Amino acid sequence: MIVSVNPYTAQEIARFEEHSDAQIEQALTEAVAAQRAWRRTSFAERSRLLVSMAKVLRANKSEYGKMISLEMGKPIAEAVAEVEKCALNCDFYAENAARFLEDEVIATNASDSRVVFDPLGVVLAIMPWNYPFWQYFRFAAPAFMAGNGAVLKHANNVPQCAKAIAEIVAEAGAPAGLHQTLLIPPSKVERLIADDRIAAVTLTGSTGVGAIVAAQAGKALKKQVLELGGSDPFIVLADADVSAAADVAVKARFINVGQSCVNAKRFIVEESIADAFVEAFCAAVARLKIGDPMAADTNIGPMARADLRATLHDQVERSVAAGAVLRAGGKAAVEGPGFTYEPTILDHVTPEMPAFNEETFGPVAAIIRVKSAEDAIAHANDTEFGLGAAIWTRDVAKAAVYARQIDAGAVFINGMVASDPRLPFGGIKRSGYGRELGSYGIREFTNTKTVWTGPAR
């Protein structure tokens, strides 16, 4: 049985029967048949589906936003914005996919030689709860435009979102079977990956789960794209606009209640401006409103599950025991059965502390004070992760040099790291591999094929 629980009240919302082996078999058979027909469609036809998906998303964004907030606790304003971003992504690929996948003619001694991009087939999408709509549509829009089909195995604490996604794709007019949602336990995923009808796998999730999925897919020789954990540095150099950096730092850390792989987590600040930054940061955090995620003015809702909150609190306590200074928070935000946690600031964090060397997946910010820009870069790279990073400085030319020295899939200068349909998104090291979004993302699940036509010249 798969159960949906409201993380603010800890009350059960709904429960669903898991799909049986027979239902899984039927879903895979239907998906393969639908994809084989879909791959022969034109870009214009595929584009019409995505435009229709965007319309369905926008028309029902309030309903879907409420569903997201109820199932995983995201503040309602952020939940609605997530749905809107999904629609934007559909529109982007509807407009640009044909250009991204144009044949590339290459001069050789053949009468014609070119690279073409064919679909791989049916892709298994293993998706997380923290952005229950965005993570799927971020993958699905380019996948459908490339001619692929999709089987969704969603996180089991957001089953209503998983079912809603299937309804959206169907209502938009997708061929029956092109998308399949499976409500199954993690124990059945390995068999799915090994099934010959699954051509490739995409996962957004923890590094630990990513390693398991990578091993299973590697054993089956299946292509994977893995977007995993992160401990993103947010570097504030001595010449930065401290006030602007502090304001953006609050959003960068506490959006989605701090439960995002690409949240800023380690705030690495030069000593000469550290006190000013911490003061401004603490003041801005104090203005955040904690409460019911369904309230329009709530900034901090509950964490998604009780075990996640317990893990985060343990990291805070171990860091304080190791010498970190607690500037704010450090406990459950409100009395009651839900899974709230106060926005927490730890100062004077050092590399041996959990708040530095572990991913803190929740509303906890770690302040690391350093002596120089070079020291800041070294601390930024002192992690097993490599997803995103931010640098704040008035010297943009200098920042561009530092950006090339940071081990990350994306570096934002004087801004907040965020995914954008126009730009590739993904990480290195234990943050995963492969890219989503942009022209690079749509090609991940294609067969990059050489077509050579003779005679040789």
Side-chain angles (χ1 to χ4, degrees), residues 385-411:
F385 300 106
L387 191 55
I391 304 173
W392 284 77
T393 174
R394 286 185 169 90
D395 189 338
V396 176
K398 180 175 64 177
V401 174
Y402 290 144
R404 301 295 293 268
Q405 299 172 9
I406 293 177
D407 300 331
V411 178

Side-chain angles (χ1 to χ4, degrees), residues 275-288:
D275 286 344
F277 175 83
V278 171
E279 181 180 355
F281 188 57
C282 288
V285 170
R287 293 191 290 269
L288 296 175

Side-chain angles (χ1 to χ4, degrees), residues 211-280:
I212 293 170
V213 168
Q216 293 170 352
K219 182 179 179 181
L221 295 178
K222 303 284 179 73
K223 170 71 180 290
Q224 319 123 49
V225 170
L226 304 179
E227 198 269 280
L228 307 178
S231 186
D232 284 12
F234 188 103
I235 299 169
V236 186
L237 299 182
D239 64 347
D241 182 331
V242 172
S243 178
D247 285 344
V248 173
V250 174
K251 184 177 181 181
R253 184 64 196 104
F254 296 106
I255 192 171
N256 204 40
V257 198
Q259 299 170 119
S260 171
C261 52
V262 79
N263 279 124
K265 297 182 176 75
R266 296 175 299 139
F267 295 84
I268 303 171
V269 188
E270 281 201 72
E271 286 180 348
S272 62
I273 49 96
D275 286 344
F277 175 83
V278 171
E279 181 180 355

Side-chain angles (χ1 to χ4, degrees), residues 402-443:
Y402 290 144
R404 301 295 293 268
Q405 299 172 9
I406 293 177
D407 300 331
V411 178
F412 280 52
I413 297 169
N414 294 332
M416 185 184 89
V417 178
S419 56
D420 182 324
R422 297 165 293 188
L423 296 169
F425 182 82
I428 59 172
K429 300 196 288 191
R430 290 181 65 81
S431 289
Y433 45 75
R435 291 294 180 265
E436 296 181 294
L437 302 177
S439 61
Y440 297 90
I442 196 172
R443 293 181 177 182

Side-chain angles (χ1 to χ4, degrees), residues 5-273:
V5 174
N6 182 330
Y8 185 66
T9 65
Q11 294 179 346
E12 182 178 313
I13 301 171
R15 57 178 52 208
F16 303 91
E17 293 287 343
E18 295 175 1
H19 283 111
S20 66
D21 289 348
Q23 289 173 313
I24 295 171
E25 177 68 21
Q26 180 181 353
L28 292 176
T29 299
E30 291 177 354
V32 168
Q35 190 275 328
R36 284 174 178 166
W38 182 249
R39 68 175 292 149
R40 295 192 294 270
T41 58
S42 67
F43 282 115
E45 186 173 345
R46 298 173 195 173
S47 178
R48 284 192 290 272
L49 171 61
L50 264 66
V51 170
S52 182
M53 285 165 53
K55 288 179 179 177
V56 174
L57 285 161
R58 289 191 176 100
N60 301 282
K61 64 182 181 181
S62 296
E63 173 191 342
Y64 299 141
K66 181 179 179 181
M67 183 183 296
I68 292 168
S69 293
L70 286 174
E71 282 208 304
M72 57 72 60
K74 187 193 307 283
I76 186 64
E78 294 179 18
V80 172
E82 177 180 338
V83 178
E84 291 173 337
K85 189 173 183 178
C86 294
L88 176 68
N89 193 53
C90 290
D91 284 339
F92 175 78
Y93 278 105
E95 181 178 348
N96 293 287
R99 175 169 59 88
F100 291 157
L101 297 179
E102 280 182 336
D103 293 0
E104 293 184 1
V105 178
I106 298 175
T108 68
N109 66 334
S111 59
D112 182 87
S113 51
R114 64 185 59 219
V115 177
V116 302
F117 302 95
D118 292 342
L120 287 184
V122 176
V123 182
L124 173 62
I126 305 170
M127 292 297 158
W129 48 264
N130 60 339
Y131 286 89
F133 273 53
W134 168 243
Q135 303 286 17
Y136 173 77
F137 285 100
R138 182 172 76 182
F139 146 76
F144 287 154
M145 285 302 300
N148 295 301
V151 172
L152 171 63
K153 189 282 181 232
H154 220 322
N156 283 351
N157 60 327
V158 289
Q160 291 188 118
C161 291
K163 290 175 68 66
I165 286 168
E167 293 165 1
I168 291 165
V169 178
E171 185 179 340
L178 188 66
H179 164 95
Q180 300 283 347
T181 287
L182 293 178
L183 301 181
I184 58 174
S187 59
K188 290 191 175 183
V189 171
E190 183 174 8
R191 194 176 75 181
L192 271 180
I193 292 173
D195 194 292
D196 289 342
R197 290 165 291 188
I198 294 297
V201 182
T202 183
L203 164 77
T204 299
S206 70
T207 298
V209 172
I212 293 170
V213 168
Q216 293 170 352
K219 182 179 179 181
L221 295 178
K222 303 284 179 73
K223 170 71 180 290
Q224 319 123 49
V225 170
L226 304 179
E227 198 269 280
L228 307 178
S231 186
D232 284 12
F234 188 103
I235 299 169
V236 186
L237 299 182
D239 64 347
D241 182 331
V242 172
S243 178
D247 285 344
V248 173
V250 174
K251 184 177 181 181
R253 184 64 196 104
F254 296 106
I255 192 171
N256 204 40
V257 198
Q259 299 170 119
S260 171
C261 52
V262 79
N263 279 124
K265 297 182 176 75
R266 296 175 299 139
F267 295 84
I268 303 171
V269 188
E270 281 201 72
E271 286 180 348
S272 62
I273 49 96

